[in-house]
Amino acid sequence: MKKIQAITAVFLFVAISGWSQNVTEGINIDSLLNEMSLIEKIGQLTLITSDWDITGPSLSNDYKELIKAGKAGAVFNAYTVDFVRELQKTAVEETRLKIPLLFGYDVIHGHRTIFPIPLGQAASWNLDLIRRSESVAASEATAEGINWIFAPMVDISRDPRWGRVSEGGGEDTWLTSKIGATRVNGFQGEDLSSNSTALACVKHFAAYGAPEAGREYNTVDISTTSLFESYLPPYKAGIDAGTGSVMTSFNEINGQPSTSNKWLLTDLLRDQWDFKGFVVSDYTSINELVNHGVAEDEKSAALLSLNAGVDMDMQGRAFLNNLEMLIAGDKISMQQIDQAVRRILIAKAKLGLFDDPYRYCNKKREKTAIMTKDNRILARKLVRESCVLLKNENNTLPIPDNVKSIAIIGPLGDSKKDMLGNWIAAGEWDKCITLKEGMVNRAGDLIKVTYNRGCGIDDANTSGFEEALKAARNADMVILALGEAGEMSGEAASRTNIDLPGVQNQLATMVMEAGKPTVAVLFNGRPLAISQLQASVPAILETWFGGTEAGNGIADVLFGDYNPAGKLTMTFPQNLGQVPIYYNHKNTGRPLDPERPDFKYLSKYIDSPNDPLYPFGYGLSYTTFKYDDLSANVEGGQIQISVNVANTGNRDGEEVVQLYVQDKIGSITRPVKELKGFQKLMIKKGESKTVQFTLTKDDLAFYHPDLTKSFEPGEFVVYVGGNSVETIQKLVLFD
Ligand code: GLC
């Protein structure tokens, strides 16, 4: 026994040292590689979907045969212990070398217990809560056999027409980088070989969030400086956090698709960033190089992507169909194949799959780790903290104690199907709490709650209006439940119109005729152009798609059991014509001049203001906060910042204190503001707190056109406030 322990200790010691070891848990990678045939090696580079879920344009109904033939090294969209065990058994008991499979899944915001969509979670500005939600997501996913999670998505986007903004952290590079690293840590935990943590997959590398016209899968053509300054940092943050894999993006960047982009996948990702994990293509993105027009056929697509640095082919079978021929034709080397196989085998070893291929097939965990009371409590907490109070005239909210009847009106008021949003993994609609259910749960017998759909989500039928108006007239207060269907955002869901769909604006205007205190609760996966709604109702609460505990968490906010503190991480435009619109824009040579608003020759529109409806970082509270005593001084080679934040209202509340900086003069143009820090803290009513930040020269360094990153001394404006617009400022010279 002592000898086995000694050997294991050696393997474990070596394993801890990092991704690039040949020997790791229970396996000698090089020995295994030497035993593998070419087709067995190519099998490890092949990822196929089961037929349990559809997440792309092609399907595979022969996945079991491929596994049995050793021609698949990983499966996605397959879960539950029984199904995973069945497929893993085929791999480890019926193939020659018994190499275990990876099981991947899009656990984007929870597995069974569904949390708010990532754009909503980001609005909580609570990194620890986000990490805990991903830890629960990994715990539940691994309890059902998953050991590889296709997340976090960290694509920066400034265009709400693009449906996948719902999956990311919003428009800010610095914040999305923090969130991306947090999510990797949540999934992978401290010990990847634990059976409750999973391999992360940072995606989509790179700049998928900048498609022209916000049209899904469209061309991305941005400057290299902008690529490095605005789009790449979140991927780097995920890699520095130790992600085990990276997924390529569908788009091209400056003319070269990511999946065949050697500069991106090898020169940058491997050579500069020292990424040691493996790279997986996106869904048939290798095959799609033919459509992009950089490959004449599947064979050349396979050649291009392997040479670029792709290790695993998702669903396209381009590697399976062509790598043998490419080897035979001396187009690629066995060393290239071995390098890709090694990376994947190391990942499997890190997960402990060679020690125990069935470690994620634990029936007891499947029964006890999923949809637990604690998981739902955490989900409800994240729903509360994701909610953003956009408007609250006359203190319409929280619901006053004297309200004895509430009419919920609108197509999202009792829709289980939509509460989960998109990318809902193994989420179960029937187990989620709708707004109506949450309100009834909270109201109990004290308040009568009625529900009228009023209209559809996206149709022209107004036949329900009269009934809805009647319900409004018969209630003390009205809660409008408006927004998008869950599937109107996410992948392949770009919209050319980001207004409230259908006749929902008309429903809101009509209901206001009842003259009752009215709140609009929004359910959406992207910023919407809600100027008309904003003009017609006194209160608006943004709730995104809150997931399993949506209704309960929203009721906590509406009734004031929780004082909302959420802040937008993506700008809400006044109208679509302003898009792309984002807070960290450049000043231009003819910026708007508040002293002469009507002067013609300025950067503006003749038919719309420049300002957004709601800016980045914006969100109200049931209390109010006052910022003063801002100081910013250079001490010890850093800028030391201090500000006093007072709770000037009549109830305790959390505030997200945000720090922005402007580099006044640079060798290239610089944004008018950039988020460089935040602190979310509770301040009791009548009290105040001093909040401190430190800025270093590294914090203020930026990429130059020659792609060097450096700090430039000079004047900086330090802004602090509760959003990106309402700030107090100090000028500081930082040499
Ligand atoms: C999809 C998505 C990607 C997802 C993959 C597997 O096309 O682009 O985010 O992880 O396919 O479902």
Side-chain angles (χ1 to χ4, degrees):
M1 190 54 186
K2 282 255 183 285
K3 187 166 180 295
I4 293 174
Q5 281 168 338
I7 292 171
T8 307
V10 167
F11 285 169
L12 280 174
F13 167 74
V14 173
I16 288 163
S17 58
W19 290 102
S20 57
Q21 295 307 317
N22 296 335
V23 175
T24 180
E25 283 88 342
I27 177 76
N28 183 312
I29 300 285
D30 279 340
S31 307
L32 178 54
L33 263 173
N34 291 335
E35 286 186 69
M36 292 171 77
S37 69
L38 175 56
I39 193 59
E40 286 166 332
K41 292 178 180 177
I42 296 169
Q44 289 303 305
L45 311 186
T46 300
L47 166 65
I48 49 166
T49 181
S50 83
D51 51 9
W52 268 37
D53 200 345
I54 300 173
T55 58
S58 75
L59 273 182
S60 39
N61 49 24
D62 59 345
Y63 58 95
K64 293 183 182 177
E65 290 76 7
L66 286 174
I67 294 167
K68 191 176 176 67
K71 293 182 177 179
V75 179
F76 65 117
N77 296 331
Y79 56 89
T80 69
V81 165
D82 289 343
F83 188 32
V84 168
R85 178 178 287 278
E86 176 200 338
L87 300 179
Q88 191 71 292
K89 187 171 184 294
T90 303
V92 300
E93 296 180 25
E94 298 173 37
T95 65
R96 189 176 74 89
L97 290 175
K98 309 183 185 327
I99 300 172
L101 298 165
L102 287 174
F103 286 89
Y105 201 32
D106 292 284
V107 182
I108 307 301
H109 50 112
H111 178 70
R112 290 276 179 184
T113 303
I114 302 300
F115 293 90
I117 57 170
L119 188 62
Q121 291 188 34
S124 73
W125 296 60
N126 187 332
L127 297 178
D128 182 55
L129 195 52
I130 291 170
R131 180 190 57 74
R132 288 165 61 198
S133 81
E134 299 301 27
S135 175
V136 163
S139 173
E140 291 194 349
T142 53
E144 289 207 272
I146 298 297
N147 48 45
W148 181 25
I149 289 176
F150 298 151
M153 182 274 212
V154 294
D155 305 326
I156 292 295
S157 188
R158 297 159 165 172
D159 192 329
R161 290 172 292 184
W162 190 52
R164 301 197 78 166
V165 298
S166 63
E167 301 172 46
E171 69 195 43
D172 184 72
T173 304
W174 183 90
L175 182 60
T176 300
S177 299
K178 297 289 183 193
I179 292 173
T182 297
R183 290 190 189 284
V184 168
N185 294 330
F187 292 134
Q188 298 191 159
E190 297 302 317
D191 174 10
L192 206 46
S193 68
S194 152
N195 68 355
S196 62
T197 58
L199 212 60
C201 184
V202 166
K203 70 185 186 180
H204 305 79
F205 193 56
Y208 179 24
E212 289 178 348
R215 196 177 84 223
E216 182 61 289
Y217 313 127
N218 203 6
T219 303
V220 169
D221 193 351
I222 51 183
S223 73
T224 306
T225 310
S226 177
L227 178 67
F228 272 82
E229 188 63 13
S230 301
Y231 292 90
L232 288 177
Y235 306 107
K236 178 72 166 48
I239 285 148
D240 292 348
T243 182
S245 64
V246 165
M247 186 185 297
T248 66
S249 60
F250 290 118
N251 57 286
E252 66 170 71
I253 301 176
N254 302 330
Q256 186 59 248
S258 300
T259 306
S260 55
N261 195 319
K262 186 176 179 303
W263 168 81
L264 185 73
L265 302 181
T266 297
D267 302 351
L268 180 67
L269 183 62
R270 300 273 179 205
D271 299 347
Q272 289 183 44
W273 290 1
D274 197 26
F275 175 60
K276 291 282 191 281
F278 68 89
V279 174
V280 61
S281 77
D282 201 339
Y283 210 113
T284 64
S285 65
I286 293 175
N287 315 65
E288 292 162 18
L289 297 176
V290 176
N291 294 335
H292 275 290
V294 295
E296 60 184 336
D297 55 24
E298 186 187 270
K299 183 177 169 185
S300 57
L303 174 62
L304 278 174
S305 49
L306 189 78
N307 282 340
V310 174
D311 299 306
M312 187 186 279
D313 170 7
M314 182 192 289
Q315 188 55 15
R317 304 189 194 200
F319 283 1
L320 196 57
N321 297 338
N322 297 282
L323 292 191
E324 279 186 284
M325 285 185 285
L326 290 167
I327 280 274
D330 287 334
K331 299 288 186 188
I332 57 173
S333 69
M334 188 60 78
Q335 190 272 335
Q336 282 177 277
I337 298 235
D338 287 354
Q339 176 177 257
V341 175
R342 175 179 286 110
R343 289 169 179 152
I344 291 158
L345 295 178
I346 286 173
K348 294 183 176 184
K350 286 282 173 197
L351 287 164
L353 289 171
F354 287 105
D355 281 339
D356 173 8
Y358 300 109
R359 76 174 43 228
Y360 296 91
C361 299
N362 181 320
K363 286 299 276 185
K364 182 172 179 299
R365 278 204 72 228
E366 190 175 48
K367 287 187 174 56
T368 58
I370 287 173
M371 199 72 89
T372 64
K373 185 169 179 295
D374 286 348
N375 293 359
R376 294 192 74 138
I377 288 169
L378 189 73
R380 180 171 180 166
K381 180 175 171 59
L382 194 41
V383 172
R384 289 197 292 266
E385 297 205 26
S386 299
C387 291
V388 183
L389 184 60
L390 297 176
K391 184 178 182 183
N392 193 25
E393 263 171 13
N394 317 317
N395 290 318
T396 305
L397 287 175
I399 295 169
D401 294 340
N402 62 350
V403 165
K404 296 303 172 210
S405 59
I406 293 174
I408 298 175
I409 297 170
L412 277 301
D414 196 25
S415 168
K416 285 186 177 294
K417 182 175 178 305
D418 293 303
M419 285 307 103
L420 301 187
N422 50 79
W423 286 115
I424 64 171
E428 298 162 87
W429 296 332
D430 60 322
K431 294 205 173 89
C432 95
I433 306 295
T434 67
L435 174 62
K436 179 200 163 203
E437 289 167 337
M439 296 298 282
V440 168
N441 290 344
R442 174 60 176 72
D445 302 331
L446 300 177
I447 301 174
K448 180 186 172 202
V449 176
T450 61
Y451 173 61
N452 283 76
R453 195 159 187 266
C455 67
I457 291 176
D458 192 11
D459 62 37
N461 185 338
T462 59
S463 60
F465 277 26
E466 192 177 333
E467 192 66 23
L469 180 57
K470 188 175 163 198
R473 288 197 167 113
N474 291 335
D476 295 339
M477 188 166 187
V478 175
I479 308 281
L480 286 165
L482 308 172
E484 297 178 309
E487 290 305 314
M488 291 173 80
S489 57
E491 183 173 1
S494 289
R495 291 179 65 196
T496 59
N497 174 346
I498 58 170
D499 296 343
L500 272 177
V503 294
Q504 296 183 53
N505 274 315
Q506 293 88 314
L507 176 69
T509 305
M510 185 274 303
V511 162
M512 284 304 293
E513 289 170 16
K516 299 296 173 70
T518 301
V519 183
V521 175
L522 283 182
F523 299 85
N524 44 297
R526 57 162 53 84
L528 296 177
I530 53 168
S531 298
Q532 186 177 339
L533 180 72
Q534 194 271 351
S536 60
V537 299
I540 302 173
L541 182 70
E542 173 60 72
T543 71
W544 316 104
F545 291 111
T548 306
E549 284 290 327
N552 285 333
I554 295 167
D556 292 340
V557 175
L558 294 174
F559 278 96
D561 300 340
Y562 173 78
N563 182 359
K567 304 280 185 177
L568 299 177
T569 63
M570 196 167 175
T571 299
F572 273 52
Q574 297 212 37
N575 54 68
L576 183 59
Q578 293 179 313
V579 168
I581 180 171
Y582 46 97
Y583 86 95
N584 46 353
H585 58 82
K586 300 300 185 66
N587 203 32
T588 79
R590 294 188 173 181
L592 265 188
D593 179 353
E595 304 301 318
R596 32 179 207 160
D598 299 327
F599 185 60
K600 179 182 176 69
Y601 300 100
L602 297 176
S603 179
K604 64 178 184 177
Y605 305 97
I606 60 171
D607 60 354
S608 164
N610 286 8
D611 291 339
L613 184 64
Y614 298 115
F616 175 86
Y618 177 87
L620 301 175
S621 167
Y622 292 149
T623 186
T624 50
F625 297 98
K626 182 173 177 294
Y627 288 73
D628 59 21
D629 292 345
L630 173 62
S631 67
N633 302 299
V634 178
E635 294 160 19
Q638 299 174 336
I639 303 179
Q640 301 297 341
I641 296 148
S642 173
V643 66
N644 186 64
V645 186
N647 179 338
T648 49
N650 56 14
R651 58 176 294 163
D652 300 348
E654 291 169 296
E655 171 70 328
V656 178
V657 180
Q658 300 156 48
L659 168 68
Y660 298 89
V661 177
Q662 179 187 18
D663 187 342
K664 289 287 282 182
I665 306 291
S667 57
I668 58 172
T669 57
R670 308 288 298 118
V672 295
K673 269 194 185 109
E674 291 181 280
L675 181 71
K676 292 293 181 185
F678 73 90
Q679 290 183 37
K680 181 173 187 177
L681 63 162
M682 170 61 76
I683 305 178
K684 292 189 177 305
K685 64 181 178 186
E687 293 189 1
S688 63
K689 284 189 177 174
T690 299
V691 182
Q692 294 174 325
F693 298 96
T694 297
L695 283 173
T696 66
K697 291 180 178 177
D698 280 351
D699 294 328
L700 302 174
F702 60 93
Y703 283 98
H704 295 69
D706 66 359
L707 299 186
T708 60
K709 184 175 184 181
S710 60
F711 165 78
E712 292 184 358
E715 286 189 329
F716 293 84
V717 184
V718 168
Y719 300 89
V720 180
N723 62 63
S724 59
V725 172
E726 296 163 287
T727 54
I728 55 178
Q729 64 192 69
K730 273 277 186 250
L731 182 67
V732 60
L733 180 61
F734 193 16
D735 282 327

